[in-house]
Amino acid sequence: MEHQLINSKATHYSGIVYSDHSFEPHFHNSYELIYAMKGRIGITVGRETVNLSEGELILIAPCVVHEITDDEKATFFIAIITPNYITDFFEAHQNDLAIRFHIDAEAADFIRQHLIREPLPTIYQIKACFYLLLSFAENGTVVLSAKDNSISFVYTVNSYIADHFTGKLQRKDLAQLLGYEEHYFSTLFYKNFGMGFRAYLNQCRLSSACQLLQTTKSSVSSIAFDSGFSSVREFNNVFSRLMGTTPTEYRKSHAASRQSD
């Protein structure tokens, strides 16, 4: 599981069409819309798995862990949008963590023309398209709800870690903040995340570091501290153990890959 920082900034939007592509468990700070354009794809949110057929959509709330499986070489569109763009819906549906819905042919044509396009749509086109989509989502099926205690725990923890992983985040502090005894919190965390708190926190920080290594010219030491690591040595050790290479070599390999493209 990882925190994908791409498109998670407060004013950000992106839309990309994928073909024959799968994504391992991850989450964003933003809403994710998935639209099956051709074929069928599997979407796992929480403990629920749904198969989206052509023409179906699912809207996944911020900080909800989800996975996309494409075993049929499908074509699908993914849009990431900040809650700031759809504030009314976000406030009215905070317990609805994943909504599955259909749109009619007229709406599909409008979306393909104004949202799934190059160059990227304007902010007004984005908002117009999403409010059209949300009018259908209002009558959709809630796949995942925050009213489930286990799901609520994961959602709350992810939300807090996503906002604070760059700081001095301690397990005991988060446990106290959420009203848990530390040992019980640790057990509950492992049960829901499949790993310990420190390992998960390092994955979130590593995801941030990888993004910065690919997209900025900041020094390795700056990236280490900006991603929440307490020292460059700790960063290098965690990076090498989990990525199988050094931060410098990782940056070089991705720079070479972009040049070859």
Side-chain angles (χ1 to χ4, degrees):
M1 186 190 305
E2 65 173 332
H3 172 211
Q4 290 190 349
L5 288 175
I6 302 172
N7 307 324
S8 291
K9 300 305 180 183
T11 59
H12 210 97
Y13 162 85
S14 83
I16 302 173
V17 175
Y18 294 92
S19 293
D20 191 16
H21 202 98
S22 296
F23 291 90
E24 294 182 353
H26 64 280
F27 67 98
H28 309 272
N29 285 1
S30 302
Y31 274 101
E32 178 168 329
L33 174 79
I34 305 170
Y35 175 26
M37 300 174 64
K38 181 181 179 182
R40 187 173 65 171
I41 54 174
I43 311 293
T44 300
V45 283
R47 298 185 183 90
E48 301 294 327
T49 298
V50 298
N51 291 312
L52 289 190
S53 298
E54 187 171 323
E56 287 190 299
L57 304 92
I58 189 168
L59 183 67
I60 302 171
C63 297
V64 174
V65 177
H66 55 284
E67 179 179 6
I68 304 174
T69 305
D70 177 12
D71 295 326
E72 301 185 7
K73 297 184 177 180
T75 298
F76 54 98
F77 173 71
I78 294 181
I80 308 293
I81 183 170
T82 170
N84 293 350
Y85 281 12
I86 50 175
T87 305
D88 294 341
F89 184 87
F90 177 66
E91 292 177 351
H93 292 268
Q94 292 194 33
N95 283 330
D96 300 335
L97 304 184
I99 303 175
R100 180 182 187 177
F101 61 101
H102 295 79
I103 56 176
D104 60 29
E106 184 178 357
D109 288 342
F110 186 86
I111 295 304
R112 287 173 181 261
Q113 180 180 353
H114 296 287
L115 192 65
I116 308 174
R117 51 167 289 178
E118 290 289 346
L120 284 176
T122 67
I123 185 174
Y124 305 110
Q125 290 172 316
I126 293 168
K127 288 187 175 183
C129 287
F130 264 87
Y131 273 98
L132 172 62
L133 290 170
L134 296 179
S135 69
F136 289 92
E138 286 279 359
N139 298 313
T141 301
V142 176
V143 176
L144 192 69
S145 174
K147 294 178 181 179
D148 180 307
N149 289 337
S150 177
I151 299 302
S152 179
F153 175 81
V154 173
Y155 177 71
T156 302
V157 169
N158 268 341
S159 298
Y160 191 85
I161 290 178
D163 288 338
H164 298 88
F165 72 91
T166 59
K168 293 181 179 180
L169 185 56
Q170 299 290 326
R171 184 182 65 189
K172 63 179 181 179
D173 296 331
L174 182 52
Q176 183 178 23
L177 180 69
L178 299 181
Y180 292 101
E181 185 274 327
E182 185 179 359
H183 179 73
Y184 178 72
F185 175 82
S186 179
T187 301
L188 195 59
F189 190 98
Y190 193 90
K191 177 182 176 181
N192 283 278
F193 287 85
M195 65 182 75
F197 175 79
R198 176 58 57 180
Y200 185 71
L201 181 59
N202 280 339
Q203 282 199 2
C204 293
R205 288 171 170 170
L206 198 62
S207 177
S208 168
C210 287
Q211 179 68 13
L212 293 173
L213 286 167
Q214 291 182 50
T215 59
T216 75
K217 295 182 179 180
S218 299
S219 67
V220 169
S221 59
S222 294
I223 289 173
F225 294 120
D226 289 345
S227 299
F229 291 96
S230 59
S231 69
V232 177
R233 181 178 180 180
E234 180 196 16
F235 173 55
N236 286 334
N237 288 339
V238 172
F239 199 100
S240 298
R241 186 176 75 251
L242 296 181
M243 300 299 294
T245 186
T246 66
T248 301
E249 289 302 317
Y250 177 88
R251 170 176 267 170
K252 287 180 180 178
S253 66
H254 279 270
S257 176
R258 286 196 299 270
Q259 291 174 0
S260 65
D261 291 341

